[in-house]
């Protein structure tokens, strides 16, 4: 979210009750963005916003992302409902 992080509470307040999007954050232990990502996750938790957090071995590169695609897809697929 970078510079937009200040807007998140405003955006969150505009989401109708019961329709908060599911949030999944994962990051490598050696990712250059680990500190801001951790701060963002902690901030979400303080606001009472549910977040799925995963800290894994790795860094910020395609090898990391591609090794976790299956996890992302399975997690997001859990949110789909069949009618």
């Amino acid at each position: 979210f970078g510079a937009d992080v200040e807007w998140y509470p405003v955006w969150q307040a505009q989401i109708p009750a019961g329709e908060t999007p599911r949030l999944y954050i994962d990051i490598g232990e050696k990712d250059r963005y680990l500190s801001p990502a951790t701060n963002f996750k902690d901030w979400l938790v303080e606001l009472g916003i549910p977040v799925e957090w995963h800290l894994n071995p790795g860094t910020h590169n395609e090898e990391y992302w591609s090794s976790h695609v299956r996890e992302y897809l399975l997690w997001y697929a859990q949110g789909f409902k069949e009618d």
Side-chain angles (χ1 to χ4, degrees), residues 15-72:
I15 298 171
E19 294 186 26
T20 300
R22 299 170 67 232
L23 298 175
Y24 184 104
I25 301 173
D26 87 302
I27 194 159
E29 295 170 335
K30 295 182 181 176
D31 192 305
R32 66 183 175 263
Y33 299 110
L34 177 58
S35 181
T38 301
N39 291 340
F40 182 60
K41 183 262 303 177
D42 292 344
W43 184 66
L44 292 171
V45 170
E46 285 178 28
L47 291 172
I49 299 167
V51 61
E52 180 87 13
W53 170 261
H54 296 269
L55 180 61
N56 299 301
T59 187
H60 193 88
N61 60 23
E62 188 174 331
E63 180 182 343
Y64 178 86
W65 304 322
S66 64
S67 69
H68 294 277
V69 166
R70 185 174 193 278
E71 295 166 33
Y72 307 148

